[in-house]
Amino acid sequence: MTFAPTVLTGPSGVGKGTILARVLEAYPQVWLSVSVTTRQPRPGEIDGTHYYFLSDVQFDDLLARNGLLEWATYGLARYGTPRRPVETKMAQGRAVVMELDLAGARQVRECLPGARFVFIAPPSWDDLEARLRSRATESEEAIQRRLAAARVELDAMDEFDQVIVNTEVAQATTELVNFLSLDSVLGCTKEKD
Ligand code: 5GP
């Protein structure tokens, strides 16, 4: 059984990263694409682990070399998926997961037929706003930009194959594992990078 590449989308602050970290810990066979971005690292973020942090010139260069599978501007920064690693892991039959914004998900729908799309939603708007503010690493202006983007993303929820409401991380993680059929598809083989 082959694993369809899967895109995970949802508003900033909804907890996609936390859910994915749990899935990766329990299922090392899953390969999460590491994106490039022109935004500054947050405290604790490691270059090459959370993102590849690039200058605008480096991002332009990658784009010019057709090195990105998809890319989008989010807030004031650009984000993109390096093409080569995704193609290599797919060819190896790995369970490829990408965490992308709405624009990126829409591009993948065009360029990777067969991909599957999951949306992580907050239990409520107030909950999302509280989570975004509790991160406390960004200016009010940046938070407002993220909230505006969140409205647009929530309005597009219907485009996704599965919507998971992140009321509780453990439950949301289980729902994602079930959607990915990780226990049945990959339960027998433990592979690492
Ligand atoms: P953050 O700055 O919070 O890490 O990410 C901002 C938004 O960019 C999130 O919605 C995240 O899912 C999205 N994002 C992260 N990497 C990529 C990527 O490679 N491509 C696209 N299109 N969006 C991305």
Side-chain angles (χ1 to χ4, degrees):
M1 196 167 163
T2 54
F3 184 96
T6 302
V7 172
L8 201 68
T9 299
S12 179
V14 79
K16 299 175 299 249
T18 308
I19 295 167
L20 277 173
R22 292 215 181 173
V23 171
L24 292 174
E25 199 184 343
Y27 299 89
Q29 314 93 321
V30 175
W31 180 80
L32 178 66
S33 165
V34 179
S35 299
V36 294
T37 183
T38 60
R39 85 153 160 73
Q40 293 299 307
R42 291 192 190 111
E45 282 184 333
I46 300 163
D47 188 40
T49 299
H50 298 93
Y51 283 105
Y52 295 103
F53 295 97
L54 303 186
S55 65
D56 273 311
V57 172
Q58 288 172 316
F59 194 99
D60 286 339
D61 183 52
L62 203 53
L63 205 51
R65 288 187 283 116
N66 196 26
L68 296 177
L69 184 70
E70 62 72 41
W71 70 278
T73 300
Y74 185 99
L76 299 181
R78 288 182 292 170
Y79 297 78
T81 304
R83 178 189 301 280
R84 178 93 51 86
V86 169
E87 289 177 349
T88 304
K89 299 296 175 187
M90 280 175 60
Q92 291 170 352
R94 290 289 294 274
V96 170
V97 174
M98 291 166 269
E99 189 218 307
L100 309 176
D101 79 338
L102 178 61
R106 286 174 172 163
Q107 288 168 62
V108 170
R109 195 183 295 284
E110 297 302 315
C111 69
L112 286 185
R116 299 188 300 171
F117 299 85
V118 180
F119 191 89
I120 308 291
S124 69
W125 179 259
D126 287 351
D127 181 271
L128 180 69
E129 189 164 348
R131 286 198 215 186
L132 256 178
R133 290 188 185 286
S134 71
R135 198 143 72 182
T137 53
E138 274 161 338
S139 64
E140 179 59 27
E141 208 185 336
I143 290 172
Q144 288 303 332
R145 270 195 299 271
R146 285 178 185 268
L147 287 170
R151 289 250 179 243
V152 175
E153 297 190 305
L154 289 168
D155 280 348
M157 228 193 277
D158 290 352
E159 292 176 23
F160 289 76
D161 300 317
Q162 174 89 9
V163 175
I164 295 174
V165 180
N166 185 18
T167 308
E168 208 270 306
V169 178
Q171 144 270 325
T173 305
T174 302
E175 283 185 45
L176 181 59
V177 165
N178 289 342
F179 177 80
L180 297 174
S181 304
L182 286 174
D183 286 320
S184 54
V185 177
L186 298 163
C188 312
T189 51
K190 291 270 178 209
E191 260 182 80
K192 264 229 159 225
D193 259 335

